[in-house]
């Protein structure tokens, strides 16, 4: 019985949607017109969520994943191109363009 309870607790924790890291929280959404003019495009990022949870939770997890990937590129801003739950088995997906704005620290 204790093993079953521990397994259920582990599964519940695995389904929880973690928030973005401190670095990813600094990647903010921006206006495409301003970013295209004033910032450097670093590339396109794609975020995905794990299965489980509500539609909103899967989308939030996918957006967080895309922010994490943008942060890994050194982005300060992101423009989301598409977010949906149309992935295989209803997984969440988010795609966006990552930008770096302003001068790097120490410049």
């Amino acid at each position: 019985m204790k093993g079953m309870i521990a397994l259920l607790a582990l599964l519940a924790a695995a389904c929880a949607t973690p928030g973005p890291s401190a670095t990813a929280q600094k990647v903010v959404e921006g206006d495409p017109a301003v970013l295209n003019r004033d910032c450097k495009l670093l590339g396109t990022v794609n975020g995905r969520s794990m299965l489980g949870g509500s539609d909103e939770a899967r989308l939030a997890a996918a957006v967080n994943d895309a922010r994490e990937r943008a942060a890994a590129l050194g982005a300060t801003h992101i423009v989301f191109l598409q977010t949906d739950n149309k992935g295989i088995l209803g997984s969440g997906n988010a795609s966006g363009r990552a930008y770096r704005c302003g001068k790097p620290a120490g410049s």
Side-chain angles (χ1 to χ4, degrees):
M1 184 64 161
K2 286 183 182 179
M4 181 62 96
I5 293 172
L7 179 61
L8 290 174
L10 181 63
L11 288 173
C15 292
T17 302
S21 67
T23 305
Q25 287 178 12
K26 295 177 184 176
V27 178
V28 296
E29 287 188 64
D31 178 358
V34 173
L35 296 176
N36 283 326
R37 182 185 68 225
D38 298 337
C39 304
K40 179 180 180 183
L41 174 64
L42 301 176
T44 300
V45 293
N46 295 297
R48 291 178 180 77
S49 68
M50 301 300 288
L51 300 176
S54 67
D55 287 349
E56 293 81 15
R58 288 192 310 271
L59 283 177
V63 166
N64 287 344
D65 188 37
R67 282 186 197 277
E68 294 288 351
R69 293 171 189 271
L73 294 176
T76 58
H77 292 76
I78 190 167
V79 174
F80 285 101
L81 305 172
Q82 182 177 4
T83 58
D84 64 53
N85 281 330
K86 296 178 184 176
I88 187 167
L89 301 176
S91 62
N93 298 293
S95 64
R97 290 191 180 118
Y99 294 86
R100 183 181 307 131
C101 301
K103 294 182 181 178
S107 294

